[in-house]
Amino acid sequence: MPDEYAEFKEQPGDDPDDVLFNTLYGVRTIQLNRPKKYNALTGSMIRKIIPRLKEYQKSALASIIIIGGAGPKAFCAGGDVSHLANDIATNGDRGRSASKAYFGLEYKLNHFIATYPKPYVAYLDGITMGGGVGLSIHGPIRIATENTVFAMPETGIGFFPDVGGSFFLPRLEGQLGTYLALTSSTLKGVQALYAGIATHYIDSSVLSNLTARLSELVFKDYSDLRSRLQIIDRTIEEFNTGLPSNDSKPQLAGNLRIAIDHCFQYDTVEAIISALEKERDGAATPPQVKEWAAQTLQALSEKSPTSLKVTLRQMRVGETWNTSDTFRREYHIATQFIQRPDFVTGVSARLGHKPPIKPQWQPPDLASVTTEDVDSFFTIEEGEEGLSLLSEGEDYEEYRFLRDLGLPREEHVEEMVKSGRGLGRKELVDAMVDAKEGKIGVREKVEEVVGRKCGEDGEGKMIWKG
């Protein structure tokens, strides 16, 4: 193995078959192969994936990288935190050092994916949580299926939404990212597309045919990454089998979405809880929002108080971080968490017991988590060892190709409304569908945004209310 791969050489105990690699013409497939463990990500797997990605990067024969998971249940259910927590509980500082090394490897892989110069496609077919999100969200093309179950469940195990959560969650529309980060709420199937987690939605039954079709694509030598991704985007739409009949419209919509953006706009967890209580108890609150507020309050009450406060700070400062800042800062935050009791306590209670039990958090309540406590997660001392990245100097402030791929965002609808074209509701929606060449989900997403954010003038033309 070349010197540049020395950091990723096989270690004693590494499973030789936990990742499978295959070649199909110009496609290189990476299959996570721990189906009995829901393809939970280990150091052994990372040490295989990084060298392969480096090789594919250099190979003129490798045109498209596709990553997926073995088995019918999961793409990747997260990092193997049970192993890490057990190692800390058993071996103390030695276990913490091993956990720190694991997170360093994982974040290097995440950043490498974020800056990868070739088309990288992720099949989110099944459970996609934590570390599985890190393997997919930073790539330009992320395909959800009817089996997709997305979540960032870290606040429930005494940790924080890492693997680049500081970058992608604050950049979701409105306060969706803060809501998902604090509550660990799930998005299923096409809802991952509407939220911006996925860029495409197709039925799982056609994934193998899609892989074969993508392997037939031939790109011109001079075509850049954007043009190659646009070709892949159109190719995926060839496999459009329509939206699921029982779940075709956005669920986080209308009054519920308004309540999410209102309640989760605040900069303290206490203020968020207060806003939720007002929604729950308000006489004029719609029944659906009342029920949601009550369920959300219950969910927050079960999370680590330290995790909640650190995560909220993370959401507010992460929107200013670039990709390198994100993973270097998260590396520091992760090392702080593994020094504290909540990580081992939370993982043991939630994942180590059947059925799960209630963790005994330390500190036990929000009032006991001070501003100084939270500050320590974000203060990097002079001389502290930082995280070296595999693609140094390659950074961006927003996701590349955001406008090219995925569904239109609220700001894109706003631009169209304010363009001076004087469009009525149907004309506006049709124009945005046409601009995306009829892409699946565009009509439903735009109609939801228009219903929530727009009004009509005296002539029936759309105006932006915000």
Side-chain angles (χ1 to χ4, degrees):
M1 180 176 290
D3 289 343
E4 64 178 302
Y5 299 154
E7 180 181 4
F8 314 111
K9 66 180 180 180
E10 182 178 351
Q11 295 187 2
D14 281 2
D15 182 345
D17 299 317
D18 51 12
V19 187
L20 304 178
F21 302 92
N22 198 12
T23 295
L24 185 63
Y25 301 110
V27 162
R28 301 295 182 267
T29 62
I30 301 171
Q31 185 181 51
L32 311 179
N33 191 39
R34 300 181 71 213
K36 292 182 179 179
K37 294 289 186 179
Y38 299 97
N39 298 318
L41 186 66
T42 65
S44 168
M45 298 164 82
I46 297 169
R47 284 188 286 273
K48 294 179 180 66
I49 294 171
I50 289 177
R52 288 290 185 141
L53 286 177
K54 281 180 167 285
E55 290 174 16
Y56 299 157
Q57 179 180 349
K58 297 174 182 177
S59 172
L61 300 177
S63 298
I64 301 171
I65 316 304
I66 299 176
I67 188 167
K73 295 182 178 180
F75 164 58
C76 174
D80 195 351
V81 292
S82 294
H83 171 76
L84 300 179
N86 183 64
D87 196 9
I88 293 172
T90 304
N91 298 310
D93 286 344
R94 191 173 65 183
R96 291 185 185 90
S97 295
S99 293
K100 184 177 179 179
Y102 169 82
F103 289 123
L105 273 178
E106 184 178 25
Y107 301 165
K108 287 182 181 186
L109 173 56
N110 297 154
H111 182 264
F112 193 44
I113 291 169
T115 56
Y116 202 65
K118 290 190 174 184
Y120 180 95
V121 179
Y123 291 168
L124 313 184
D125 188 30
I127 298 170
T128 303
M129 298 183 182
V133 177
L135 291 175
S136 55
I137 194 71
H138 307 295
I141 294 181
R142 309 171 301 275
I143 302 175
T145 75
E146 75 280 5
N147 301 318
T148 300
V149 181
F150 164 91
M152 293 297 286
E154 289 81 5
T155 57
I157 58 168
F159 203 52
F160 74 109
D162 62 334
V163 298
S166 311
F167 193 86
F168 82 86
L169 287 166
R171 288 165 175 78
L172 296 180
E173 295 167 281
Q175 296 299 325
L176 279 179
T178 302
Y179 167 65
L180 295 170
L182 294 178
T183 65
S184 307
S185 295
T186 59
L187 297 170
K188 296 182 179 180
V190 74
Q191 300 306 319
L193 174 68
Y194 292 135
I197 300 301
T199 57
H200 299 77
Y201 176 88
I202 63 175
D203 193 272
S204 62
S205 62
V206 300
L207 285 176
S208 60
N209 291 336
L210 173 60
T211 300
R213 177 72 179 91
L214 292 176
S215 74
E216 298 171 355
L217 297 180
V218 178
F219 303 119
K220 293 181 172 61
D221 291 342
Y222 57 79
S223 61
D224 61 11
L225 180 56
R226 171 172 272 106
S227 63
R228 295 180 185 216
L229 290 171
Q230 289 171 340
I231 292 170
I232 295 171
D233 179 38
R234 292 193 293 271
T235 303
I236 295 170
E237 288 302 312
E238 295 175 10
F239 293 82
N240 174 2
T241 56
L243 294 168
S245 58
N246 61 342
D247 187 27
S248 62
K249 295 184 178 181
Q251 293 177 354
L252 301 180
N255 288 329
L256 179 55
R257 174 57 193 281
I258 291 170
I260 290 173
D261 286 353
H262 170 69
C263 293
F264 285 86
Q265 69 178 308
Y266 299 102
D267 292 335
T268 68
V269 179
E270 292 86 348
I272 290 172
I273 289 173
S274 177
L276 287 165
E277 289 171 341
K278 289 178 181 177
E279 293 284 358
R280 179 195 62 190
D281 301 334
T285 305
Q288 178 197 22
V289 176
K290 276 180 171 285
E291 181 181 1
W292 165 81
Q295 292 173 347
T296 302
L297 284 165
Q298 178 61 38
L300 291 175
S301 73
E302 297 170 356
K303 310 304 181 189
S304 158
T306 300
S307 293
L308 288 176
K309 287 201 168 184
V310 171
T311 296
L312 183 57
R313 174 82 66 87
Q314 174 197 6
M315 293 301 100
R316 298 300 181 251
V317 299
E319 63 186 355
T320 68
W321 293 347
N322 64 28
T323 46
S324 290
D325 294 335
T326 293
F327 294 105
R328 290 194 174 104
R329 290 282 185 172
E330 288 188 359
Y331 182 64
H332 173 76
I333 297 171
T335 59
Q336 295 299 305
F337 267 109
I338 61 178
Q339 299 293 333
R340 299 171 187 242
D342 276 4
F343 177 61
V344 172
T345 297
V347 172
S348 175
R350 299 293 192 201
L351 304 179
H353 286 78
K354 304 294 182 183
I357 61 175
K358 182 178 180 180
Q360 300 300 309
W361 304 120
Q362 299 178 49
D365 52 52
L366 291 169
S368 302
V369 182
T370 67
T371 300
E372 291 73 23
D373 290 334
V374 178
D375 288 345
S376 68
F377 287 85
F378 297 88
T379 304
I380 299 178
E381 301 294 340
E382 186 175 351
E384 180 178 333
E385 181 184 1
L387 181 67
S388 60
L389 300 170
L390 300 175
S391 44
E392 294 284 358
E394 296 185 30
D395 295 302
Y396 47 86
E397 308 291 334
E398 300 289 341
Y399 277 119
R400 303 174 295 172
F401 321 115
L402 192 62
R403 188 178 288 271
D404 301 318
L405 306 168
L407 300 186
R409 291 169 58 89
E410 290 179 9
E411 60 263 32
H412 303 152
V413 180
E414 180 181 5
E415 289 172 8
M416 182 70 81
V417 171
K418 294 179 176 179
S419 66
R421 295 171 61 178
L423 301 174
R425 181 172 184 143
K426 184 177 185 304
E427 294 171 314
L428 171 64
V429 175
D430 287 347
M432 298 210 72
V433 172
D434 289 345
K436 279 289 189 175
E437 301 180 345
K439 184 182 181 72
I440 189 171
V442 172
R443 183 174 301 277
E444 291 76 11
K445 171 69 182 289
V446 174
E447 285 179 342
E448 191 283 321
V449 174
V450 169
R452 178 165 45 87
K453 292 282 191 177
C454 293
E456 293 184 358
D457 64 14
E459 298 179 348
K461 306 304 183 184
M462 291 290 99
I463 55 175
W464 186 259
K465 299 187 303 182

